[in-house]
Amino acid sequence: MITVALPKGALLKDAIRLLQSVGLDFSAFLDSANRQLQISDPTNTAKALLVRAQDVPVYVEYGQAHLGIVGYDVLREKKPQVAQLIDLKFGYCRLSVAVKAASPYRSALELSPNSRVASKFVHCAHDYFQSLDLPVEIIPLYGSVELGPITGMSEAIVDLVSSGKTLRENGLIETDILFESTARLIAHPLSYRTNTGNLHDWIEKLRAASLVSA
């Protein structure tokens, strides 16, 4: 029996829909009355773990799950030792720099050296500004990052943007895109190499299904 780690939040519905298309039904996770964090599909072919998105690659890396579905943004930030297999083409967003619309800055390069940048993507932000050869102070925030510039704690933020509505409603504008992100299928490297539980068959089914739904 294979185990799949599924992310709570925005990717869950599409992840469950994709798995249903290959015969694995974990839709019980969508029932608000359900409190289980581990369930088996009705055919007892596989089981799924419901975890925070940031924890999906951890469960896969340490072998508690053979497969996982997670955003590319999480993979870039955490850099886990997992096999990245398929771009599933859903859950599009982008990691961007944003500033107050009223500020004089219109690109990250215009920020003053040692400016403060708030982000929950600490490593991605650090790597990006290092690539610009611009020294900044990265302030880790894990709630509403938009409050950084609003309160004056930071000059800019690095955060995920989808429609941009949250930025606009808080008087912020997007200036730079670090990278674009979609959901990815990942696998435990050893399980993938040894084809545990006919893993390759499931991966190919998911690859075909993702192409159909793209």
Side-chain angles (χ1 to χ4, degrees):
M1 181 182 286
I2 65 166
T3 301
V4 185
L6 298 179
K8 296 178 180 178
L11 298 181
L12 183 60
K13 283 186 179 180
D14 284 329
I16 285 175
R17 191 178 299 120
L18 176 67
L19 290 164
Q20 282 177 318
S21 72
V22 300
L24 299 176
D25 186 0
F26 300 115
S27 56
F29 280 148
L30 300 176
D31 181 353
S32 58
N34 176 63
R35 291 292 180 266
Q36 290 178 288
L37 300 175
Q38 177 178 291
I39 59 174
S40 296
D41 83 298
T43 64
N44 279 320
T45 304
K47 61 183 178 181
L49 312 175
L50 184 62
V51 301
R52 288 185 63 194
Q54 293 85 349
D55 293 338
V56 167
V58 181
Y59 280 92
V60 174
E61 181 175 358
Y62 282 87
Q64 272 60 55
H66 303 98
L67 295 173
I69 294 175
V70 67
Y72 179 63
D73 55 293
V74 175
L75 298 175
R76 281 285 292 262
E77 177 65 15
K78 297 185 75 71
K79 300 177 182 176
Q81 298 299 307
V82 298
Q84 298 187 39
L85 302 177
I86 307 171
D87 180 350
L88 299 174
K89 307 295 186 185
F90 61 79
Y92 171 81
C93 56
R94 55 197 180 271
L95 191 68
S96 298
V97 179
V99 299
K100 286 179 70 173
S103 81
Y105 309 116
R106 288 299 176 266
S107 82
L109 280 169
E110 294 177 4
L111 290 169
S112 303
N114 303 312
S115 290
R116 291 169 297 184
V117 178
S119 184
K120 59 174 70 83
F121 293 90
V122 173
H123 296 112
C124 290
H126 175 268
D127 292 348
Y128 179 69
F129 283 98
Q130 191 172 55
S131 75
L132 298 180
D133 197 25
L134 179 62
V136 298
E137 179 186 352
I138 307 295
I139 302 173
L141 281 183
Y142 297 98
S144 300
V145 180
E146 296 84 5
L147 278 171
I150 292 171
T151 62
M153 185 171 67
S154 69
E155 282 72 44
I157 63 172
V158 170
D159 201 17
L160 287 179
V161 178
S162 182
S163 67
K165 182 180 178 184
T166 302
L167 292 181
R168 290 191 296 272
E169 289 180 348
N170 287 283
L172 304 179
I173 57 168
E174 193 176 358
T175 62
D176 305 76
I177 297 175
L178 281 66
F179 58 80
E180 297 180 330
S181 177
T182 48
R184 306 297 167 97
L185 182 72
I186 61 173
H188 179 251
L190 181 59
S191 298
Y192 180 60
R193 286 199 300 273
T194 59
N195 195 24
T196 302
N198 291 318
L199 205 57
H200 292 175
D201 289 346
W202 289 112
I203 291 166
E204 288 312 308
K205 287 177 183 177
L206 289 165
R207 191 187 307 278
S210 68
L211 291 172
V212 168
S213 61

